[in-house]
């Protein structure tokens, strides 16, 4: 499959409006592209598939936490490609590889291939979730893992809806940050 | 963790986001930088004493307008560079045009004056104060603007950093123009241009460290 810019862009726009189903499709389509992209780049310098999976997840998290920086009037794939490449360079810098190995490329490189392999990354999200404060952990558990609506979570936890939203937002931020820190000492 | 589990985690109950928020926060940061620069100049250095006279107001406005010619496109480019991938659709070298224009103006003014005056035109009483003040005043606007840019996830950190420095330098120079009483074009070109270029260079060097996300 060659990714279709127009289709992905409309999924992204829907995702930005809060359409979870469209957003899920978008992320899983992009994850296949990202995996193939990272596998290709890393294989050339003798890295493992787990590392490619780590990077795929890291790029997905970056796309998610930075989705407000996408300008809906601009093409989506160059934006995704810039994030993917930024994360790759950041990763190589941290793992002290020669960045000069990375050839010049363009945005089409990202969507040239697809990869759906189900390899686990090195991150243990459940473990990291347990390290969050109780309120954040519980609200994330209920909204993000069990898929309850904000209103349901609010009544179950005796919190106001805006408290739930704030708690989930802060918790997700903390979770992404702890994943980012975990990779740093490698 | 498997990637499909992560996708579930990210997409379930995904919150709508407002994409206009990010550019707005850079606008606010730049505006805050201008307020800070003006505040510092008016409180610590004080406006030039003759500011209300026409003879002083016009050259002061010329310095501000000439800096704004650099400042406005620099701000527009900065907002583009601040987004992931922005470096691919921003013709950053165009920013040299206002610089070159001022330099050409300066050379024309200089060559129309006798050569013996060149030294006192450029190395007038105020050059040292100008060289120290503009970078110092730029520090706080630089920090505020850099913070806002970092939220937008730039992917070319050196270039984004250079534009943060450039915008902060312009903001500082606009504030300083209210104090500075040397109105010659060559003085403006050399010392305003030089210090703004210095701020740009500092931003280019600091960008990869400060803007990393």
């Amino acid at each position: 499959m060659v990714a279709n810019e127009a289709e992905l862009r409309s999924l992204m726009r829907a995702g930005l409006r809060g359409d979870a189903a469209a957003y899920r499709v978008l992320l899983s389509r992009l994850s296949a592209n990202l995996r193939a992209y990272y596998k290709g780049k890393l294989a050339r310098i003798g890295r493992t598939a787990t590392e490619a999976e780590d990077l795929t997840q890291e790029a997905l998290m970056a796309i998610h936490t930075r989705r407000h920086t996408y300008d809906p009037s601009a093409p989506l794939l160059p934006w995704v490609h810039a994030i993917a490449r930024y994360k790759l360079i950041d990763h190589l810098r941290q793992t002290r590889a020669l960045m000069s190995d990375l050839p010049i490329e363009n945005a089409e490189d990202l969507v040239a291939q697809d990869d759906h392999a189900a390899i686990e990354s090195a991150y243990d999200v459940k473990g990291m979730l347990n390290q969050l404060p109780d309120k954040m952990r519980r609200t994330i558990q209920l909204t993000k893992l069990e898929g309850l609506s904000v209103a349901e979570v609010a009544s179950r936890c005796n919190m106001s809806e805006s408290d739930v939203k704030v708690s989930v937002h802060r918790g997700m931020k903390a979770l992404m940050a702890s994943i980012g820190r975990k990779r740093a000492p490698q | 963790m498997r990637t499909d589990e992560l996708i579930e985690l990210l997409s379930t109950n995904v919150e709508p986001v407002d994409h206009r928020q990010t550019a707005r926060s850079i606008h606010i940061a730049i505006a805050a930088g201008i307020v800070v620069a003006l505040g510092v100049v008016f409180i610590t250095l004080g406006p030039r004493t003759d500011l209300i006279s026409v003879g002083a107001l016009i050259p002061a406005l010329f310095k501000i307008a000439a800096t704004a010619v650099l400042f406005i496109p620099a701000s527009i480019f900065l907002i583009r560079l601040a987004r992931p991938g922005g470096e691919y659709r921003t013709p950053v070298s165009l920013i040299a045009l206002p610089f070159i224009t001022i330099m050409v103006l300066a050379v024309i003014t200089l060559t129309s004056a006798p050569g013996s005056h060149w030294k006192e035109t450029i190395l007038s009483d105020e050059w040292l104060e100008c060289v120290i003040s503009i970078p110092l005043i730029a520090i706080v606007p630089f920090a505020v603007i850099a913070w806002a840019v970092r939220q937008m996830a730039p992917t070319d950190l050196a270039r984004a950093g250079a534009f943060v420095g450039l915008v902060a330098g312009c903001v500082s120079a606009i504030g300083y123009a209210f104090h500075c009483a040397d109105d010659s074009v060559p003085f403006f070109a050399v010392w305003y241009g030089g210090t703004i270029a210095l701020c740009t260079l500092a931003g280019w060097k600091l960008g990869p460290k400060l803007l990393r996300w």
Side-chain angles (χ1 to χ4, degrees), chain B residues 34 37-38 41-42 45-51 57 60-61 63-64 172-181 192:
Chain B
I34 293 175
L38 288 176
V41 168
F42 276 81
L45 298 171
R48 56 192 291 181
T49 44
D50 55 353
L51 191 60
L57 195 59
L61 286 179
K63 281 184 278 187
I64 292 165
S172 172
I174 289 172
Y176 185 70
F178 283 95
H179 166 75
C180 170
Y192 281 55

Side-chain angles (χ1 to χ4, degrees), chain B:
Chain B
M1 173 175 53
R2 290 208 328 267
T3 300
D4 50 355
E5 292 172 331
L6 175 70
I7 292 172
E8 277 304 309
L9 179 73
L10 297 179
S11 62
T12 306
N13 282 319
V14 67
E15 300 85 5
V17 293
D18 180 3
H19 66 91
R20 283 177 299 259
Q21 192 62 48
T22 42
R24 214 177 292 148
S25 68
I26 293 191
H27 289 137
I28 293 170
I30 293 174
I34 293 175
V35 172
V36 169
L38 288 176
V40 170
V41 168
F42 276 81
I43 292 165
T44 64
L45 298 171
R48 56 192 291 181
T49 44
D50 55 353
L51 191 60
I52 29 172
S53 74
V54 178
L57 195 59
I58 288 172
L61 286 179
F62 165 77
K63 281 184 278 187
I64 292 165
T67 312
V69 168
L70 186 59
F71 165 70
I72 292 167
S75 305
I76 294 169
F77 283 2
L78 176 64
I79 289 168
R80 288 209 209 163
L81 280 173
R83 293 176 196 275
E87 63 272 23
Y88 299 125
R89 45 192 202 113
T90 310
V92 285
S93 45
L94 282 183
I95 206 69
L97 285 180
F99 253 120
I100 295 167
T101 313
I102 296 291
M103 294 302 163
V104 169
L105 268 180
V107 170
I108 292 171
T109 330
L110 265 188
T111 47
S112 64
S116 55
H117 285 205
W118 289 8
K119 197 174 162 213
E120 50 198 272
T121 308
I122 291 173
L123 292 177
S124 71
D125 300 337
E126 292 207 37
W127 76 270
L128 190 61
E129 188 194 63
C130 173
V131 167
I132 294 170
S133 300
I134 291 182
L136 274 184
I137 298 167
I139 291 175
V140 174
F142 180 86
V144 175
I145 298 167
W147 178 83
V149 166
R150 193 166 166 269
Q151 308 303 310
M152 283 183 81
T155 47
D156 186 336
L157 301 185
R159 215 177 283 185
F163 272 77
V164 173
L166 177 59
V167 170
C170 288
V171 163
S172 172
I174 289 172
Y176 185 70
F178 283 95
H179 166 75
C180 170
D182 194 314
D183 297 328
S184 83
V185 178
F187 177 90
F188 171 78
V190 171
W191 301 118
Y192 281 55
T195 46
I196 291 173
L198 190 73
C199 294
T200 311
L201 185 71
W204 181 63
K205 283 286 174 198
L206 291 171
K209 279 211 163 61
L210 291 182
L211 300 176
R212 198 171 157 255
W213 48 279

